Amino acid sequence: MGIASPVALSSVTPASRLTDSHGRVIHDLRVSVTDRCNYKCVYCRTGEMGAQYPELGIGEYLRLIELFVSLGIEKVRLTGGEPLLRRGLVELIQQLARLRTLSGQPLDLAMTTNGHLLDTLAAPLKAAGLNRITVSMDAVDEPSFERITRVPGSFQKVLGGIRAARGAGLTPLKINCVLLRGFNDGEIEAFAHFARQEDVVVRFIEFMPLEEGRLWTPEIVIPLAEIVERIGRVLPLVPLPPREASETARRYTFEDGKGEIGIIAPVTQAFCGACSRVRLTSDGKIRTCLFSQVEHDLYGRMRAGENDAELRSYIARTVQGKEARHHIGEPEFMKPSRSMVHIGG
Ligand code: SAM
């Protein structure tokens, strides 16, 4: 499907901003544009399951995102699956970059990618209006990296992609690293050096029970405290103050002020109370939490012919019902029906 002409948001009567029944204001939207992926990271995919869900047309994503922006969304992160596999992505970013938030500012446009195709796409993405990019990288040692991605040659491709992104001005550049005990926990200290050498912000993420297979145990998670302690032994860390209440990462710099690392600890130090996020899956379902047991079929309503006012009202009602928190590690915890790669991380 082609790209629909963008709604002039100035012609939209601003509804009240999205809030949930726990008093949280929702201003971040994560949009998956495909659940296909060209990597088979051992902690994410089994390697046997391909894409499970249909993709919408680029114009359909645009229309749905415009509805969210008219309800107060200020930041959109495109993700997947692997978003760079999605045809029409650069055009989608071009259209999104034209939108204005309710306060009249340009939308903050970010993306999370494995970086494999970034060497050629970084410059076009920046030119289209992408503001920031996060590249996932789970080891700085080449053989360890490729044992995780299960794709030969992937390390050099991603390193090239990171450098192309920096060269294109997609900065500050963030690197996401999911740590798993027994897989890549030997890389923690090397990542601290990498952050300084490559001038990137490395963000360690605690592993959540969202994999396709069954790998997660509490013991495999490397907790925030352990990461801080281990890096601190080789390069003393200095905590940085949070920039906003909904910031997910605990940020640190080093004693000489050069470089930054962050730790996102959804398991050991959950930040649900300050969550400002909702998600739209590649097939147009709203998920109000990564761990939601229910999905809300926004696209189905659009296809059935509901008008913008009806769709906005549906979004607002859905967001009201956002879950208070996740239940990882509690007896009643249930894995959601979709894993991370199919939700959009
Ligand atoms: N393919 C893109 C990428 O690799 O960044 C985007 C999708 S990927 C699902 C988004 C992020 O989720 C990656 O940084 C990945 O490492 C992270 N991730 C995947 N499974 C996870 C899990 N179970 N717990 C925490 N993070 C996870």
Side-chain angles (χ1 to χ4, degrees):
M1 164 176 283
I3 295 177
S5 55
V7 173
L9 289 182
S10 54
S11 70
V12 164
T13 315
S16 56
R17 285 176 189 267
L18 291 172
T19 52
D20 71 10
S21 63
H22 308 283
R24 295 171 293 195
V25 178
I26 305 304
H27 47 77
D28 293 349
L29 176 68
R30 297 208 171 185
V31 182
S32 172
V33 290
T34 180
D35 73 331
R36 289 173 286 135
C37 192
N38 44 355
Y39 282 6
K40 292 179 279 190
C41 297
V42 288
Y43 62 88
C44 186
R45 302 183 56 206
T46 59
E48 288 141 27
M49 223 190 257
Q52 303 288 301
Y53 298 93
E55 294 168 15
L56 307 190
I58 289 294
E60 293 172 322
Y61 289 123
L62 181 62
R63 174 154 180 232
L64 295 180
I65 295 170
E66 281 171 343
L67 290 168
F68 278 93
V69 173
S70 73
L71 289 164
I73 289 294
E74 292 168 352
K75 175 174 161 189
V76 171
R77 179 173 291 274
L78 299 172
T79 181
E82 174 44 44
L84 297 185
L85 292 178
R86 182 55 209 256
R87 195 183 257 192
L89 183 74
V90 172
E91 290 77 8
L92 176 61
I93 291 169
Q94 257 163 8
Q95 298 291 327
L96 292 175
R98 294 166 53 191
L99 300 184
R100 292 292 172 268
T101 65
L102 285 184
S103 51
Q105 299 301 311
L107 202 54
D108 182 11
L109 278 176
M111 182 184 294
T112 302
T113 169
N114 63 26
H116 193 83
L117 299 172
L118 205 49
D119 48 357
T120 51
L121 280 170
L125 289 168
K126 174 71 181 175
L130 188 69
N131 300 119
R132 286 171 298 106
I133 202 154
T134 299
V135 179
S136 303
M137 198 180 181
D138 302 308
V140 289
D141 168 65
E142 188 162 351
S144 311
F145 182 89
E146 293 178 9
R147 268 197 300 277
I148 295 173
T149 63
R150 295 187 278 188
V151 174
S154 51
F155 182 79
Q156 291 302 333
K157 281 288 287 177
V158 173
L159 203 55
I162 288 171
R163 291 174 180 164
R166 205 183 32 226
L170 287 166
T171 52
L173 193 73
K174 288 188 186 143
I175 303 293
N176 271 359
C177 168
V178 177
L179 288 171
L180 288 85
R181 199 176 302 285
F183 284 77
N184 60 349
D185 49 333
E187 299 271 317
I188 295 177
E189 294 83 355
F191 262 113
H193 291 294
F194 183 81
R196 291 159 64 82
Q197 277 154 16
E198 292 287 330
D199 191 20
V200 292
V201 177
V202 172
R203 302 203 309 180
F204 297 104
I205 306 176
E206 288 179 348
F207 179 43
M208 293 178 277
L210 283 168
E211 72 283 26
E212 275 181 354
R214 287 190 170 271
L215 187 66
W216 194 91
T217 60
E219 293 72 35
I220 205 170
V221 177
I222 317 276
L224 177 142
E226 185 176 332
I227 301 169
V228 171
E229 199 262 325
R230 276 185 52 183
I231 296 181
R233 261 190 260 153
V234 287
L235 286 169
L237 289 171
V238 179
L240 291 168
R243 284 169 300 202
E244 54 183 13
S246 59
E247 193 163 74
T248 50
R250 303 283 185 95
R251 300 184 307 122
Y252 300 84
T253 186
F254 301 95
E255 273 184 334
D256 61 2
K258 182 171 180 272
E260 182 182 319
I261 66 147
I263 305 169
I264 302 179
V267 179
T268 65
Q269 310 213 7
F271 37 81
C272 305
C275 183
S276 58
R277 241 159 288 127
V278 290
R279 289 178 157 78
L280 189 64
T281 61
S282 59
D283 57 337
K285 309 265 168 50
I286 303 173
R287 292 185 66 94
T288 48
C289 173
L290 264 178
F291 296 94
S292 291
Q293 295 296 326
V294 282
E295 299 180 336
H296 308 271
D297 191 6
L298 180 62
Y299 177 64
R301 287 172 179 259
M302 186 179 105
R303 278 296 296 263
E306 288 197 9
N307 64 30
D308 285 357
E310 289 166 327
L311 293 172
R312 264 192 223 108
S313 153
Y314 179 67
I315 294 171
R317 287 199 310 277
T318 301
V319 170
Q320 268 290 307
K322 181 173 163 67
E323 297 79 345
R325 63 184 184 89
H326 69 63
H327 295 274
I328 300 175
E330 297 172 22
E332 67 267 39
F333 176 78
M334 275 167 58
K335 257 175 120 170
S337 57
R338 291 193 199 212
S339 61
M340 188 69 125
V341 66
H342 305 293
I343 295 173

